Amino acid sequence: DADVTQTPRNRITKTGKRIMLECSQTKGHDRMYWYRQDPGLGLRLIYYSFDVKDINKGEISDGYSVSRQAQAKFSLSLESAIPNQTALYFCATSDPSGRGGNEQFFGPGTRLTVL
Amino acid sequence: GENVEQHPSTLSVQEGDSAVIKCTYSDSASNYFPWYKQELGKGPQLIIDIRSNVGEKKDQRIAVTLNKTAKHFSLHITETQPEDSAVYFCAASIGTGTASKLTFGTGTRLQVTL
């Protein structure tokens, strides 16, 4: 089974709709991240959480919110989706105190299209 | 904040040739520089990383070099193979612990042709 899973893998929605993207991990990592990937722009950090009680904005948090329901779950919400939020979204985890050090482990991504 | 520039955006090499991807960073406090490989339909995966107290690191056919004075680092892939075709991202991070957020470059699409 994959260590970091994302649901759904693909989603098409309409402008103004509320959307939730979910991320689950079995790695036991405290740190979780949400990124969006756009062609020519690389990966940009939306939100990150260093533990269940810690939520921080990344460089492009406007229009997004997150919820860290448990150590293993980190959800990203678009309260009112707009077309320029069409992108590939990735969840990632890390455990700086563990063997992986600063390595981030990425999920398979969610492709979101907002019409 | 940190800014990471990556070049080229696309790179095509023949199988067996070498490929070099270059990145520059803006914050002299950055001290951790990983490289990620993203295959089609998958999330990025770490392939090699280097810390600022080291000038070069090698792992089989891939190597990374770091020039702290010039604030640039490079990925070198020798004897390229078709399975090296992917998008490669460089990144930079300041410190570990609470400060360990990564800033990514814009990516390089590498195509290895037969």
Side-chain angles (χ1 to χ4, degrees), chain A residues 9 31 33 35 37-38 40-45 48 50 57-59 88 90 94 96 100-109, chain B residues 2 31-32 34 36 38 41-47 49 51 87 89 93 95-107:
Chain A
R9 293 294 313 277
R31 298 189 179 193
Y33 311 80
Y35 293 91
Q37 182 178 7
D38 299 276
L41 295 178
L43 292 153
R44 292 181 293 166
L45 185 62
Y48 61 101
F50 283 173
K57 293 182 177 180
E59 59 181 303
L88 188 55
F90 286 102
S94 72
N102 285 335
E103 178 176 1
Q104 292 192 12
F105 298 84
F106 285 81
Chain B
E2 175 66 278
N31 61 3
Y32 173 67
Y36 283 78
Q38 184 180 23
K42 296 183 179 180
Q45 186 172 10
L46 180 73
I47 55 171
D49 57 12
R51 296 191 181 278
V87 178
F89 292 98
S93 172
T96 57
T98 58
S100 60
K101 302 192 313 294
L102 293 176
T103 299
F104 284 88
T106 51

Side-chain angles (χ1 to χ4, degrees), chain B:
Chain B
E2 175 66 278
N3 181 51
V4 177
E5 295 188 358
Q6 182 172 347
H7 299 282
S9 57
T10 60
L11 179 60
S12 182
V13 300
Q14 284 196 321
E15 183 179 5
D17 288 349
S18 295
V20 180
I21 303 170
K22 299 181 178 181
C23 290
T24 60
Y25 60 98
S26 61
D27 195 329
S28 56
S30 289
N31 61 3
Y32 173 67
F33 307 93
W35 286 88
Y36 283 78
K37 176 183 180 182
Q38 184 180 23
E39 297 178 342
L40 194 62
K42 296 183 179 180
Q45 186 172 10
L46 180 73
I47 55 171
I48 195 168
D49 57 12
I50 191 169
R51 296 191 181 278
S52 59
N53 58 348
V54 175
E56 183 174 359
K57 184 177 180 180
K58 190 174 182 179
D59 182 4
Q60 299 182 342
R61 295 188 297 107
I62 60 173
V64 57
T65 58
L66 172 65
N67 183 326
K68 287 169 52 180
T69 302
K71 290 190 284 189
H72 68 70
F73 56 112
S74 300
L75 178 71
H76 304 253
I77 305 174
T78 58
E79 301 174 20
T80 53
Q81 301 169 4
E83 52 265 39
D84 294 329
S85 295
V87 178
Y88 292 81
F89 292 98
C90 63
S93 172
I94 299 174
T96 57
T98 58
S100 60
K101 302 192 313 294
L102 293 176
T103 299
F104 284 88
T106 51
T108 296
R109 182 174 299 278
L110 173 64
Q111 183 173 4
V112 179
T113 59
L114 298 174

Side-chain angles (χ1 to χ4, degrees), chain A residues 1-114:
Chain A
D1 288 339
D3 294 320
V4 184
T5 57
Q6 293 184 233
T7 55
R9 293 294 313 277
N10 289 281
R11 182 72 184 268
I12 299 174
T13 190
K14 295 182 178 180
T15 297
K17 294 292 187 181
R18 185 178 187 274
I19 295 296
M20 179 180 285
L21 309 182
E22 299 188 350
C23 176
S24 294
Q25 52 113 348
T26 58
K27 300 186 76 67
H29 290 172
D30 284 330
R31 298 189 179 193
M32 298 187 73
Y33 311 80
W34 274 105
Y35 293 91
R36 67 175 279 176
Q37 182 178 7
D38 299 276
L41 295 178
L43 292 153
R44 292 181 293 166
L45 185 62
I46 306 172
Y47 270 95
Y48 61 101
S49 169
F50 283 173
D51 65 43
V52 175
K53 298 179 181 179
D54 176 76
I55 301 289
N56 303 281
K57 293 182 177 180
E59 59 181 303
I60 54 163
S61 59
D62 287 349
Y64 301 96
S65 63
V66 291
S67 173
R68 185 80 185 266
Q69 300 95 323
Q71 184 201 43
K73 296 185 182 297
F74 192 35
S75 300
L76 176 72
S77 293
L78 288 68
E79 297 301 325
S80 180
I82 56 177
N84 77 359
Q85 291 178 314
T86 293
L88 188 55
Y89 290 84
F90 286 102
C91 173
T93 73
S94 72
D95 178 21
S97 64
R99 272 187 64 211
N102 285 335
E103 178 176 1
Q104 292 192 12
F105 298 84
F106 285 81
T110 294
R111 184 167 296 280
L112 177 66
T113 302
V114 183

